[in-house]
Amino acid sequence: MFHFKIDKKKISEKSPIYIIAEAGVNHNGSLSKAKKLIDIAVKAKADAVKFQTFKAENIIVPKGPKAKYHIETTGSNKSLSWFNLLKSQEISLSMHKELIRYCKKKKITFLSTPYDQDSATLLDKLKIHAFKIASTDNDNYPFISFMKKFKKPIILSTAMSTFEEVKFAYQLLKKFNFKKFSIMQCTGNYPTKIENANLNVIDQYKKYFKCPIGFSDHTEGSTAAICAVAKGVKIIEKHFTISKKLNGPDHRMSLEPKELIEYIKSIRIAEKSLGMTDKKILLSEEENKKKLKKSLVAKKFIKKGQRISRSLIDIKRPGHGIRPKDIKKILGKKTNCNIKEHTILNINMLY
């Protein structure tokens, strides 16, 4: 599995999980809210904060219908069409520049998802460190082809797709000679029911795709993320907001500031619990091994020169004598000294 870097942080099989705090469009077009989101991501110790870059006229027809969750969160009012909603969430060039400057000041990586070619070109000029290709574009052949010229790491989400469609996207990335990319398991429902997270798909991805695998988490809480850690993902992204009560489509399924802090803490604790891949006795176990493991023990008094039989041996704690697994090696041997009852046997007592 190859590896790559986003900004100065490595993404590989052995690296810490790269955590993206997904601000998305939860700034509601406000620079001050966007900066507050950056502050929240920094406090929560995310590796990157990610926004969304688009021009509404490039990604939706003027009368495009709202998704169900958009109607649930922003209403069916025709004056606030999906087009107008997206228009209100665009980030201007000057806002991009200020957010990138602010991220540098706060020492967090600025990322954004481009949804059209103009936006990708803009982000490239702004020297963004990596591109996220949203699930909506993972089968967008012309767009993926266009992105190859930037030669930046790609994070590809895979919601609303069959495995065959994801394979198609993977093969496109390989065809266009992308060297640095990750594929993210994702479910395109907001919020996603925990039973629809389908984390077992991660195993399928790891088997087929020779790249780091990630998880774009649209579930509520941190349970799915912790399970994804155990599955071996190397990138996790999660939506967050200043407040779930704000107007907009994504606030209801986003974490509030304190929740984001606990979410990332939970991931780091789960990650730490994975430990090493080789099974060995840890330093913290050494003392307990001696006291809690068992040894071969004299069941009764054994005279010097007597042959050891099974009837003369007990198996008891502590564990600093002859191991129970070696019992056959000493049966039939003679003792070279008297051995008292309850004595822990060692090889020097036998010949």
Side-chain angles (χ1 to χ4, degrees):
M1 184 177 74
F2 56 77
H3 62 267
F4 58 91
K5 285 185 178 180
I6 296 179
D7 203 350
K8 296 177 182 178
K9 294 195 174 180
K10 190 174 183 179
I11 297 172
S12 72
E13 195 169 357
K14 295 184 179 179
S15 64
I17 292 169
Y18 191 83
I19 300 176
I20 301 171
E22 171 67 66
V25 295
N26 284 344
H27 50 79
N28 288 0
S30 163
L31 178 61
S32 62
K33 282 187 174 67
K35 285 186 173 181
K36 191 166 185 179
L37 287 166
I38 292 169
D39 290 337
I40 292 166
V42 170
K43 187 174 181 181
K45 299 182 179 179
D47 295 297
V49 58
K50 187 171 76 62
F51 294 86
Q52 295 176 8
T53 303
F54 53 82
K55 292 184 178 180
E57 59 269 24
N58 288 348
I59 64 171
I60 189 171
V61 296
K63 294 183 179 180
K66 283 184 177 179
K68 181 183 176 183
Y69 81 97
H70 279 153
I71 294 172
E72 292 171 351
T73 54
T74 63
S76 57
N77 187 344
K78 291 184 179 179
S79 64
L80 187 60
S81 65
W82 197 350
F83 180 90
N84 290 336
L85 176 63
L86 288 169
K87 201 70 185 167
S88 71
Q89 295 167 334
E90 290 181 353
I91 303 176
S92 66
L93 174 59
S94 60
M95 187 171 169
H96 272 95
K97 288 180 176 178
E98 179 57 21
L99 293 180
I100 290 170
R101 184 202 67 78
Y102 194 70
C103 281
K104 287 180 179 177
K105 178 183 175 182
K106 294 292 182 173
K107 298 181 179 178
I108 189 170
T109 299
F110 173 92
L111 294 175
S112 190
T113 302
Y115 282 82
D116 58 85
Q117 293 184 11
D118 290 343
S119 297
T121 300
L122 170 67
L123 290 171
D124 180 62
K125 288 180 179 177
L126 293 172
K127 298 181 179 179
I128 193 169
H129 296 285
F131 283 125
K132 168 77 185 295
I133 295 179
S135 296
T136 54
D137 288 308
N138 63 27
D139 63 349
N140 188 339
Y141 185 106
F143 186 59
I144 295 174
S145 176
F146 178 80
M147 299 285 275
K148 68 183 178 182
K149 68 180 182 179
F150 301 122
K151 297 180 179 179
K152 294 183 187 293
I154 295 291
I155 300 169
L156 181 88
S157 259
T158 61
M160 303 170 289
S161 305
T162 65
F163 182 63
E164 290 303 314
E165 289 170 331
V166 178
K167 281 204 298 184
F168 173 79
Y170 174 78
Q171 288 159 358
L172 273 188
L173 293 172
K174 300 289 283 184
K175 175 182 177 179
F176 294 139
N177 206 30
F178 284 93
K179 299 292 186 183
K180 306 169 184 177
F181 62 86
S182 173
I183 291 180
M184 310 277 280
Q185 163 58 1
C186 181
T187 302
N189 192 28
Y190 313 93
T192 296
K193 291 181 179 180
I194 194 71
E195 61 267 27
N196 289 332
N198 283 340
L199 296 180
N200 284 331
V201 169
I202 292 167
D203 297 329
Q204 187 181 35
Y205 283 4
K206 287 176 70 178
K207 181 179 179 180
Y208 186 86
F209 304 130
K210 305 304 179 186
C211 67
I213 304 302
F215 176 48
S216 184
D217 184 9
H218 294 148
T219 67
E220 294 180 299
S222 60
T223 301
I226 291 169
C227 293
V229 172
K231 289 283 187 183
V233 299
K234 302 315 299 182
I235 302 176
I236 293 178
E237 69 172 358
K238 184 78 167 182
H239 283 262
F240 74 106
T241 182
I242 296 166
S243 170
K244 293 179 189 287
K245 295 179 181 179
L246 288 172
N247 293 323
D250 293 340
H251 296 288
R252 74 170 184 180
M253 48 78 68
S254 301
L255 298 176
E256 291 190 333
K258 288 182 180 178
E259 292 175 318
L260 182 65
I261 290 170
E262 290 306 311
Y263 182 85
I264 293 177
K265 277 185 182 177
S266 296
I267 289 172
R268 294 303 182 207
I269 292 169
E271 184 178 27
K272 193 177 290 186
S273 76
L274 296 179
M276 63 183 71
T277 55
D278 295 329
K279 178 61 178 173
K280 58 180 68 175
I281 298 166
L282 303 177
L283 289 175
S284 60
E285 296 180 300
E286 288 287 357
E287 183 181 353
N288 283 341
K289 179 188 175 185
K290 293 174 183 176
K291 293 178 179 178
L292 301 181
K293 287 277 192 175
K294 294 178 179 178
S295 301
L296 302 183
V297 178
K299 191 173 185 178
K300 57 184 76 171
F301 178 78
I302 306 172
K303 294 180 181 179
K304 180 179 178 180
Q306 191 171 354
R307 288 190 184 276
I308 297 295
S309 64
R310 183 65 183 85
S311 63
L312 297 175
I313 298 174
D314 253 344
I315 299 173
K316 294 182 178 180
R317 293 173 179 169
H320 55 75
I322 299 172
R323 316 300 313 145
K325 67 182 179 67
D326 294 325
I327 189 169
K328 289 185 178 180
K329 294 179 182 179
I330 70 163
L331 293 178
K333 289 185 178 291
K334 290 183 177 181
T335 60
N336 56 25
C337 60
N338 290 331
I339 301 174
K340 294 181 180 179
E341 183 181 4
H342 302 313
T343 298
I344 297 168
L345 301 180
N346 66 65
I347 201 66
N348 295 326
M349 300 173 178
L350 310 170
Y351 69 94

